[in-house]
Amino acid sequence: MSPYSDIDLLFLVRPRSELSPATLRGLLYPLWDAGWQVGHALRTAKEAVARATQDLDAATAALYTRFIAGNEEHHIEFVDRFERWVVKERKTLVRRVLESTKNRHARQDRAGWVLAPDLKSDIGGLRDVHQARWLTAIVGEEVETTDIDAAYDVLLATREALHVEVQRKLDRLRIDVQSRVARRLGFEDDDGADHVMTQVHSAARTIEFRGGIVARRLSETVLGGPRRSGAVERLGHGLRIEEGTIEVDRSATPDPAGGMAVVEVVASRGRFPSPRTIEWMKEAFRHPVERWDDATRTAFLSALAGDFVSDALELMDHSGAWTGLLPEWTRIRGRAQHDPYHRYTVDGHLFVTVAEVNRAIATMEQAHVAAAEAGDLDALRVAALLHDVGKGSGEDHSIAGEQIARAMCSRMGLDDATTREVCALVRYHLALMDTATRRDLDDGAVIADVAETIGSGRIFRLLYVLTVADAKATGPEAWSEWKAALIAELYRKVLDAIETGRLPARADVVEKSREIEAYDPILAGRAQDLLATLPPSYLDSTALEDMVDELRMLLTPPGRGQVRVRVTEANEDTVITICLADRPGTLARTAGVLALNRISVRKAQAFSTQEGVAIERFTVATPPAGSFERFKKDLEAAYSGRLALESRIEQKIAEYSSGSDVTPTVTVLPDESPHSSVVEVRGPDVLGLLYAITTALSEMDLDIHVAKIDTLGERVVDVFYVRTSWNEKLSEEQSREVVRSIEHRVDRLFNR
């Protein structure tokens, strides 16, 4: 039991009058007063057995009762009655245990792969060992569980440390307490949490895999195995599929090619090896291989394309294949990730990414076309498997990963061309997502830079599919309709630039005005004049129908204190367009009103006409019903001098503050754009941060040309293209002052 485990006491009596309520209270109250969580039941031996027939928890608890004190004859009577009941109800009890485990597994995560596992209830947690022990007691047959017991000790020690550290019952090993638990377990260095989590993940995988085998064997002893049809399908390497299970001939020599042949069958057919075949695989991969032979490599590449590739790659983990074939893999096996938007361990994420590559090609039209045009996909799938191998190296994981991937490709015996493609994909696997979410896609310099960096149309097509798969495999925060649209837009523009040499041309004012006037006759003869007053970047910044609505707003410009608002709602995102008189700080003021109404901003753009009218466009997460009406009223009040915005925001921040300091990282990038300085701010996703940043920029009298907001789990990356009031990029001195202004404003609002 762990320090804050529940304590379940059974008071056995004969009859009930043996124990008075006052005596029972006298026993329990001191335990409760001491802070222990004590549950109790008062029953006769017959009643206790009857309870086990109705309540599985009572039945499994009774399998391991411990006599504490009192009349031991009562305990002996209960144990005798209970054991006879277990023998009589053995089949029913086994089925109940299996059904309960199945239901729990359907609700829980997999402790060996998620970053913050529940040590008790997740798949591969302590409860799965309890299940195996319950079945052992019910069936009455001993099985070899040395490896499971060792894994159990790891999880139990970690759970005990967790309880003591937080001083309460807590079974989920949250990311924020992992370092403290590691120190309590004796890991004092900076990597202590990583060491502990690697052991926890490894232990949980052992329990999930080996515990499942033990549970099946014990249950089949009582319930019998599946009905045998006599069907046998012969495969190569001495393998066969017999009754749906992969078996190996006893005469087959265990070698890497044969072991990988099993992996290939799992990936392509979804069949799993028998325990004896798994032991044969362990022997096949026992000895390190300096360079793969052709058969091993061919089977591996084929496995990566299989519908059940995640299961196959996990089987390699359980059979020791990674250690024997790619020793570099041991660095990332079970390794925790420190990005809050990641859900899985490094190796778990890589396994899922390969599966997502295959799924994207099969289900997404643009990914399917990109893959078909690229041709051979071996480099793509290998890169999907290796793209994060540089994590934990202490340097940029894309750069480190390229070097590690090159060594691993050499060990696999891949040809030079494939190796170069794999290394390029690993090196630039973040390029599309970073550019799409943090840079101005209407800036030709951005498109030119990506096109020049990637260079090859084939590699860029593969990179697009990898980007989609990587995001989908990361977690729900890493992929959305908004991000999909940005990635698709960047893909189209860069691919055209690579293959034709043309950069995206700004739409000609005359040509665009003709399109607009054909779409809406009301703007006939007026569209060209309106467009001429807007900056060139406006001309291809949105869809034609949206541009028409915005130009209608400009036909009769709003007066002082007036605000026009257009809301276009979609399933996941909503676009808010605001037309108002331009003056310093308008973007900051609007961002403040959005914060007041708790509307989450994903993207922002601002354009000003030569006549001093501003168009602000915000892409936001669709809020609850009624939020936009409140937002419009507050916006009108803010711009008409009827709302003390700063005071209201400070109050709102105080109400929702977590109590922790907000310390952003501010960077000015002078060379990212030929016409603007790029200010990048990274920080926690807290209410009012965008308002604080934009207010600081307006206080420096800077013009925000484009703003991009990207939320990554609990963190945000906000990027602003800014120019001085005389349309120049920032000097070094101005850049330093911008950093100081943002840090000061954030500190003033959040860290009082």
Side-chain angles (χ1 to χ4, degrees):
M1 297 176 68
S2 297
Y4 286 87
S5 291
D6 296 341
I7 300 170
D8 295 320
L9 297 179
L10 174 61
F11 294 93
L12 288 167
V13 293
R14 190 202 293 157
R16 280 178 173 269
S17 58
E18 280 187 356
L19 189 62
S20 70
T23 303
L24 187 60
R25 288 195 298 271
L27 289 167
L28 293 173
Y29 278 24
L31 301 178
W32 289 334
D33 291 342
W36 290 327
Q37 301 296 314
V38 180
H40 71 283
L42 175 64
R43 297 188 179 101
T44 65
K46 183 177 180 180
E47 289 171 340
V49 173
R51 179 64 180 173
T53 65
Q54 304 165 8
D55 184 349
L56 182 62
D57 289 340
T60 54
L63 290 169
Y64 292 97
T65 59
R66 285 170 282 181
F67 176 73
I68 297 175
N71 188 337
E72 191 168 6
E73 289 185 2
H74 291 1
H75 183 249
I76 293 172
E77 177 192 356
F78 166 64
V79 170
D80 180 61
R81 284 177 175 269
F82 183 74
E83 288 179 347
R84 283 186 279 115
W85 173 78
V86 168
V87 172
K88 180 181 177 182
E89 299 293 329
R90 181 171 291 152
K91 285 188 176 182
T92 300
L93 199 51
V94 167
R95 290 192 183 99
R96 288 171 65 190
V97 170
L98 295 177
E99 184 65 21
S100 173
T101 301
K102 179 182 176 181
N103 292 337
R104 174 172 54 83
H105 283 187
R107 300 188 305 269
Q108 299 297 130
D109 286 322
R110 301 175 67 199
W113 305 94
V114 296
L115 299 184
D118 184 314
L119 299 173
K120 180 179 179 181
S121 298
D122 272 354
I123 304 169
L126 298 170
R127 186 60 82 202
D128 279 357
V129 181
H130 300 159
Q131 174 218 15
R133 291 176 177 175
W134 296 336
L135 291 174
T136 299
I138 294 168
V139 174
E141 178 181 326
E142 292 295 328
V143 293
E144 175 59 42
T145 60
T146 302
D147 51 351
I148 299 176
D149 294 339
Y152 181 84
D153 288 343
V154 170
L155 297 192
L156 186 60
T158 306
R159 184 182 189 231
E160 290 172 353
L162 176 61
H163 279 201
V164 174
E165 185 61 36
V166 300
Q167 293 293 293
R168 62 186 175 88
K169 181 181 179 180
L170 177 67
D171 293 326
R172 186 162 298 284
L173 189 52
R174 301 194 318 253
I175 293 175
D176 61 313
V177 299
Q178 289 173 5
S179 295
R180 291 157 53 193
V181 169
R183 286 193 293 272
R184 186 164 290 278
L185 288 169
F187 294 90
E188 299 288 347
D189 59 358
D190 294 339
D191 295 330
D194 287 342
H195 293 317
V196 169
M197 293 311 300
T198 297
Q199 292 187 31
V200 166
H201 288 132
S202 180
R205 293 178 191 185
T206 296
I207 291 171
E208 178 184 357
F209 188 70
R210 291 286 302 144
I213 292 174
V214 168
R216 284 193 296 274
R217 174 179 169 182
L218 289 170
S219 61
E220 287 177 2
T221 300
V222 173
L223 304 177
R227 183 174 298 175
R228 303 184 67 83
S229 65
V232 177
E233 180 182 355
R234 287 284 174 182
L235 308 171
H237 295 279
L239 303 178
R240 65 186 185 278
I241 298 179
E242 185 174 327
E243 305 298 339
T245 300
I246 304 172
E247 300 286 355
V248 61
D249 294 343
R250 295 190 179 277
S251 60
T253 302
D255 61 8
M260 194 61 74
V262 178
V263 173
E264 182 184 9
V265 175
V266 173
S268 62
R269 308 283 287 274
R271 302 297 186 180
F272 288 90
S274 67
R276 194 181 75 80
T277 303
I278 292 171
E279 294 304 316
W280 181 85
M281 291 178 68
K282 289 181 178 180
E283 186 62 32
F285 296 127
R286 186 177 303 280
H287 302 292
V289 176
E290 288 299 321
R291 188 177 177 86
W292 297 12
D293 58 35
D294 291 345
T296 301
R297 180 176 59 257
T298 300
F300 179 71
L301 295 176
S302 176
L304 293 183
D307 291 339
F308 307 94
V309 61
S310 290
D311 294 332
L313 297 175
E314 284 189 32
L315 177 61
M316 290 178 65
D317 183 77
H318 294 303
S319 61
W322 296 113
T323 303
L325 296 177
L326 292 173
E328 297 89 349
W329 193 266
T330 57
R331 291 182 55 262
I332 59 168
R333 181 180 186 268
R335 189 178 188 87
Q337 310 237 38
H338 299 291
D339 297 324
Y341 50 96
H342 266 285
R343 183 180 180 188
Y344 302 110
T345 61
V346 175
D347 56 340
H349 167 70
L350 296 177
F351 294 169
V352 176
T353 302
V354 179
E356 289 293 350
V357 163
N358 298 336
R359 190 173 294 113
I361 293 170
T363 62
M364 294 178 60
E365 181 179 359
Q366 194 163 29
H368 177 78
V369 172
E373 292 175 346
D376 182 84
L377 301 180
D378 285 347
L380 169 62
R381 293 190 173 101
V382 173
L385 181 68
L386 304 183
H387 72 272
D388 276 348
V389 291
K391 286 195 170 179
S393 62
E395 57 181 305
D396 185 321
H397 79 276
S398 298
I399 297 173
E402 178 184 7
Q403 300 303 316
I404 298 171
R406 180 171 286 108
M408 297 173 85
C409 287
S410 175
R411 195 182 298 278
M412 284 187 248
L414 297 177
D415 60 63
D416 291 344
T418 303
T419 298
R420 284 194 298 270
E421 290 179 344
V422 169
C423 291
L425 292 169
V426 171
R427 175 68 179 85
Y428 298 114
H429 74 272
L430 295 176
L432 268 66
M433 184 62 74
D434 285 350
T435 302
T437 56
R438 300 171 195 173
R439 295 296 179 260
D440 181 7
L441 303 189
D442 297 320
D443 187 340
V446 171
I447 305 303
D449 182 60
V450 177
E452 183 179 353
T453 298
I454 305 303
S456 161
R458 168 176 159 76
I459 291 180
F460 190 67
R461 287 179 170 90
L462 299 179
L463 186 61
Y464 167 72
V465 181
L466 175 58
T467 301
V468 172
D470 186 18
K472 284 177 167 286
T474 295
E477 297 289 347
W479 188 251
S480 64
E481 291 181 8
W482 169 66
K483 290 184 179 180
L486 290 177
I487 293 293
E489 179 185 353
L490 177 62
Y491 173 68
R492 289 192 299 269
K493 290 181 176 180
V494 173
L495 187 61
D496 185 62
I498 289 175
E499 300 201 326
T500 69
R502 298 189 307 263
L503 293 177
R506 297 294 185 195
D508 180 78
V509 171
V510 175
E511 180 182 344
K512 180 63 72 173
S513 64
R514 287 172 181 164
E515 294 179 25
I516 290 171
E517 291 172 3
Y519 187 89
D520 185 1
I522 292 176
L523 292 169
R526 311 169 81 175
Q528 184 173 341
D529 292 338
L530 290 171
L531 290 175
T533 69
L534 287 157
S537 59
Y538 178 80
L539 298 178
D540 53 2
S541 66
T542 191
L544 181 65
E545 57 269 28
D546 296 324
M547 189 173 292
V548 167
D549 284 348
E550 292 175 0
L551 292 181
R552 282 177 177 173
M553 292 181 176
L554 295 176
L555 280 176
T556 54
R560 293 186 178 276
Q562 293 182 330
V563 182
R564 294 201 179 94
V565 181
R566 172 181 179 264
V567 176
T568 307
E569 295 190 45
N571 293 332
E572 184 176 311
D573 295 332
T574 296
V575 177
I576 304 174
T577 306
I578 300 162
C579 181
L580 70 167
D582 191 20
R583 55 181 174 173
T586 54
L587 186 62
R589 190 171 301 192
T590 306
V593 177
L594 288 165
L596 274 186
N597 288 271
R598 295 189 60 76
I599 298 176
S600 178
V601 178
R602 290 178 168 167
K603 180 181 178 182
Q605 292 173 294
F607 308 95
S608 298
T609 69
Q610 295 170 359
E611 281 73 29
V613 180
I615 291 287
E616 297 175 350
R617 194 185 300 139
F618 294 87
T619 302
V620 303
T622 301
S627 298
F628 287 128
E629 292 306 316
R630 292 192 301 271
F631 165 73
K632 290 178 183 178
K633 291 179 181 179
D634 288 345
L635 192 67
E636 292 170 355
Y639 280 102
S640 61
R642 295 182 287 108
L643 184 68
L645 187 58
E646 179 104 351
S647 174
R648 293 289 190 94
I649 288 178
E650 287 184 4
Q651 180 181 353
K652 183 72 72 171
I653 289 173
E655 291 174 358
Y656 287 92
S657 173
S658 63
S660 57
D661 285 349
V662 176
T663 306
T665 301
V666 186
T667 308
V668 178
L669 306 170
D671 301 322
E672 290 292 319
S673 168
H675 54 72
S676 302
S677 295
V678 176
V679 179
E680 184 175 281
V681 184
R682 296 171 180 259
D685 182 20
V686 293
L687 178 75
L689 181 62
L690 178 60
Y691 169 76
I693 298 168
T694 50
T695 301
L697 293 174
S698 68
E699 288 173 347
M700 297 291 294
D701 200 22
L702 297 177
D703 172 36
I704 300 174
H705 169 60
V706 173
K708 284 205 166 185
I709 316 303
D710 189 19
T711 302
L712 306 171
E714 299 173 356
R715 306 284 294 176
V716 295
V717 180
D718 295 352
V719 177
F720 305 88
Y721 282 66
V722 302
R723 292 194 291 259
T724 66
S725 57
W726 49 92
N727 283 328
E728 292 182 356
K729 297 172 70 170
L730 303 180
S731 66
E732 290 187 16
E733 181 181 5
Q734 287 173 310
S735 297
R736 289 193 296 270
E737 291 304 304
V738 164
V739 173
R740 183 171 183 170
S741 178
I742 294 173
E743 291 176 343
H744 172 73
R745 171 60 68 163
V746 171
D747 191 60
R748 176 179 162 187
L749 274 177
F750 295 96
N751 303 328
R752 293 190 170 192

